[in-house]
């Protein structure tokens, strides 16, 4: 089994992690190395759940925060082992998200007296089906282990905080008609023609832009798919428009669904997928101190991420980590090592109380 | 090799033909039986071209007419051998179109002195790709063999004449946009939304209904397919609406294409398929006598059929044959034997001059 030197500097530690191949469903080796390294630290209480490792300080602080990262990567694409060149670390997982994992492990190794209790979570299977996602499974089997006032999910965000996340709802809007030979089309009813009204309503849609905790979200309603047609000579009897609604975190899934159903009133609407948004939760003391420590810049998160899983557990969460997300899942994945170093410094400042007054004082 | 008794009555002959399995690309046995039976008749000159058989009278008449039928069927579907019950003949090909073929063979066997010279054509591969269609191939390799003043294609039409046929044009109307993540859709341009205008124009379309040789045609313009979409979370950059235009035979393919291009002005239009219509040609003497012989009722043909192949050779043609076309290609395919008998009688009356004055006199 491979092992890691958790006492190396954060860039070297990132390289070590990248060089342990850990494509989704093959995280046993890296989880073993992480568990072994954390278990050697006396100030942490470590538990393992499948290939998810949880390490906690137990200092009795008033507040507890979570730092979380996933250990898995998308499939190898000729981009291993790692290569460090001119301050850029190249290799699968360097950006998404072993730089963030290395920051978590460095802080776990060195912060023996943080101002908040900290739960460090390194989990598996983030890149695949939600049913296998280690954070999701842990939230179901051992939610107590995740209890906290605030969570930082260290997905690549160029080292800028992205708070909350929008929810997502996918529906099929279906029109029906009646088949006929296209040469005698007046005997049928064209279901594709009937979809004109569905698309017209989509074009007329005006997105809400609610401001929550000072962040402006921006909703969206888009056809992401359309299909219809029986044969080249047949008037089609069905057309399906798949619509994706992105909704700000001040709306519940039920409210989002009601909105979409009303907008497509008169059509057959079927929900095929739904996930709630997550409120930014920046009003919580631990969060406010965190924002100050990382420089005060916060953007709303428009996409859906695992922060919503924390939200479901009642824990406000933000995305914040090294790496440009545009290079995630790309063959030429890479990360600026300076970003990894800065993330470690900023989180350390927050968790040692060197910046901001700490959670209680704000 | 199976053989047929061409001197049996027309219903028995239909059964014999049905019981020789002849799915498209497997017509060798039936073509052999037909060729053998026709070759034994001294008043006919018989040639074979692949699995297409042509038999001609050579009486030096002023006019020549064609009687044509295809020998192939769609695939077997548990509907062989034939079964005769209460005046209904059941079985694959009974309707489409071995009843018509039997009429052709009976007339070929018995009309030694028709008022017009007659070319009897039994061809293969009508149910499949036009590139394999025996009539199409014969029109290319030996158009002289098909020369005539008028043609009757004996496809099932419930024994009512359907004259001419409408042309068909299929185009793809394409909209383009720009991909973006659905959570940040304002960065992209949704190509499916852009298709609203395409569908709106289809809905606003008013069909022409031109009257030609006393027959009212009826054009059509229908979306027969629509597709677009990249993934459930992506604003799509392309949408394709496949549109089928049916146009009356007073318009050429080029005129039909110009009409569609103008209607979709501003969109990217690609022609994927086109076939010309066929004028009814009821003003020709041989045609007029034929119409009178079969009872005077003529309907316009809205769909596209092989009559257009005759039209391309300069030969006016009509559909006229036993069988309800609604049962073509159906598992429970069948034909009323009375229709087969009546078709034989009516064509015999026409070709013996018993009804109508014959071509020259009108």
């Amino acid at each position: 089994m491979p092992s890691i030197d958790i006492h190396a500097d954060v860039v070297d530690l990132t390289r070590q992690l990248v060089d342990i191949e850990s494509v989704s469903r093959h995280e046993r080796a890296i989880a073993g190395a992480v568990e072994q390294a954390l278990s050697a630290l006396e100030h942490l209480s470590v538990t393992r759940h499948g290939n998810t490792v949880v390490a906690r300080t137990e200092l009795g602080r008033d507040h507890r925060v979570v730092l979380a990262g996933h250990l898995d990567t998308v499939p190898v694409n000729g981009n291993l082992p790692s290569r460090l060149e001119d301050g850029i670390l190249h290799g699968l997982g360097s950006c998404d998200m072993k730089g963030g994992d290395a920051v978590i492990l460095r802080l776990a190794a060195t912060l023996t007296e943080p101002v908040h209790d900290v739960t460090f979570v390194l989990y598996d299977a983030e890149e695949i089906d939600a049913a296998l996602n280690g954070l999701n499974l842990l939230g179901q089997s051992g939610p107590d282990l995740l209890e906290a006032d605030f969570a930082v999910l260290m997905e690549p965000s160029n080292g800028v905080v992205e708070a909350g996340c929008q929810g997502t709802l996918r529906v099929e809007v279906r029109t029906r008609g009646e088949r006929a030979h296209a040469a005698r089309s007046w005997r049928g009813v064209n279901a594709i023609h009937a979809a004109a009204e569905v698309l017209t309503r989509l074009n007329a849609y005006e997105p809400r832009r609610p401001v929550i905790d000072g962040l402006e979200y921006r909703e969206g309603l888009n056809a992401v798919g359309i299909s219809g047609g029986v044969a080249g000579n047949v008037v089609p009897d069905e057309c399906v428009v798949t619509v994706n609604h992105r909704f700000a975190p001040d709306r519940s899934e039920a409210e989002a669904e009601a909105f979409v159903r009303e907008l497509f009133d008169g059509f057959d609407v079927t929900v095929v997928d739904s996930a709630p948004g997550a409120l930014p939760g920046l009003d919580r003391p631990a969060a406010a101190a965190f924002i100050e420590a990382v420089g005060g810049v916060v953007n709303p998160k428009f996409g859906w991420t695992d922060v919503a899983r924390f939200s479901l557990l009642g824990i406000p969460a933000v995305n914040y980590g090294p790496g440009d997300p545009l290079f995630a899942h790309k063959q030429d994945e890479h990360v600026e090592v300076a970003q990894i170093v800065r993330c470690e410094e900023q989180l350390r400042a927050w968790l040692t109380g060197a910046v901001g007054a700490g959670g209680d004082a704000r």
Side-chain angles (χ1 to χ4, degrees), chain A:
Chain A
M1 197 180 79
S3 63
I4 51 173
D5 175 12
I6 201 169
H7 301 289
D9 70 62
V10 74
V11 177
D12 185 59
L13 187 52
T14 304
R15 289 198 72 165
Q16 293 179 47
L17 292 171
V18 171
D19 290 337
I20 300 175
E21 195 179 307
S22 60
V23 175
S24 305
R25 311 302 302 270
H26 298 89
E27 302 95 334
R28 192 206 292 241
I30 199 168
V34 164
E35 181 191 13
Q36 190 181 51
L38 292 172
S39 298
L41 303 167
E42 291 190 352
H43 64 286
L44 294 176
S45 147
V46 177
T47 55
R48 179 160 170 179
H49 313 263
N51 289 324
T52 293
V53 181
V54 180
R56 297 161 56 99
T57 64
E58 305 281 5
L59 299 166
R61 302 288 195 243
D62 290 343
H63 298 281
R64 174 176 287 280
V65 299
V66 171
L67 298 186
H70 64 82
L71 293 169
D72 62 321
T73 70
V74 295
V76 183
N77 188 11
N79 46 9
L80 282 181
S82 64
R83 179 169 51 85
L84 181 60
E85 212 174 276
D86 298 332
I88 307 286
L89 180 64
H90 300 263
L92 176 64
S94 57
C95 170
D96 185 13
M97 56 171 286
K98 291 181 175 178
D101 293 336
V103 171
I104 293 170
L105 290 173
R106 281 302 295 152
L107 295 172
T110 55
L111 281 180
T112 52
E113 294 281 338
V115 295
H116 310 301
D117 266 314
V118 186
T119 304
F120 303 95
V121 180
L122 286 307
Y123 64 102
D124 65 338
E126 191 271 347
E127 300 290 4
I128 53 174
D129 190 347
L132 301 168
N133 182 301
L135 188 64
N136 186 23
L137 296 176
L138 192 62
Q140 290 167 15
S141 66
D144 293 356
L145 268 177
L146 290 174
E147 258 181 23
D149 300 281
F150 182 61
V152 179
L153 185 64
M154 297 201 65
E155 288 273 3
S157 70
N158 270 319
V160 174
V161 179
E162 296 182 326
C165 83
Q166 296 200 128
T168 179
L169 173 71
R170 213 159 60 233
V171 300
E172 290 178 350
V173 184
R174 194 169 260 99
T175 61
R176 294 191 201 280
E178 208 180 313
R179 286 192 198 186
H181 195 287
R184 292 175 291 278
S185 54
W186 57 91
R187 295 190 186 169
V189 178
N190 194 313
I192 295 177
H193 295 193
E197 173 64 16
V198 176
L199 301 187
T200 298
R201 291 190 197 175
L202 283 169
N203 277 319
Y205 166 77
E206 295 279 351
R208 287 199 317 137
R209 298 174 77 155
V211 176
I212 307 166
D213 286 1
L215 302 178
E216 187 186 65
Y217 287 86
R218 191 162 172 178
E219 296 190 332
L221 189 72
N222 272 275
V224 291
I226 190 165
S227 66
V230 176
N233 60 352
V234 176
V235 172
D237 57 351
E238 185 178 89
C239 182
V240 179
V241 187
T242 304
V243 174
N244 184 209
H245 178 39
R246 300 290 175 143
F247 54 97
D250 61 338
R251 273 195 177 167
S252 69
E253 290 174 273
E255 287 168 334
E257 181 182 336
F259 166 76
V260 168
R261 286 194 182 280
E262 191 185 326
L263 192 124
F264 293 114
D265 187 35
F267 293 95
D268 176 3
V269 174
T270 312
V271 173
V272 289
D273 190 32
S274 174
L279 286 163
L282 300 182
D283 51 341
R284 299 235 184 158
F290 166 76
I291 301 303
E292 188 178 340
V294 298
V297 180
V298 186
N299 292 323
K301 181 71 182 174
F302 298 115
W304 195 93
T305 77
D306 269 351
V307 300
R309 300 195 194 283
F310 287 106
S311 192
L312 283 171
L313 296 168
I315 308 166
V318 298
N319 285 286
Y320 166 77
D324 183 337
L326 291 178
F327 290 102
H329 302 194
K330 295 289 167 64
Q331 202 277 334
D332 61 343
E333 182 172 349
H334 60 260
V335 62
E336 283 182 42
V337 299
Q339 279 198 1
I340 310 177
V341 172
R342 195 176 71 243
C343 278
E344 184 192 353
E345 285 170 2
Q346 293 184 327
L347 289 180
R348 185 179 302 281
W350 169 46
L351 292 171
T352 57
V355 178
D360 302 331
R362 294 185 66 86

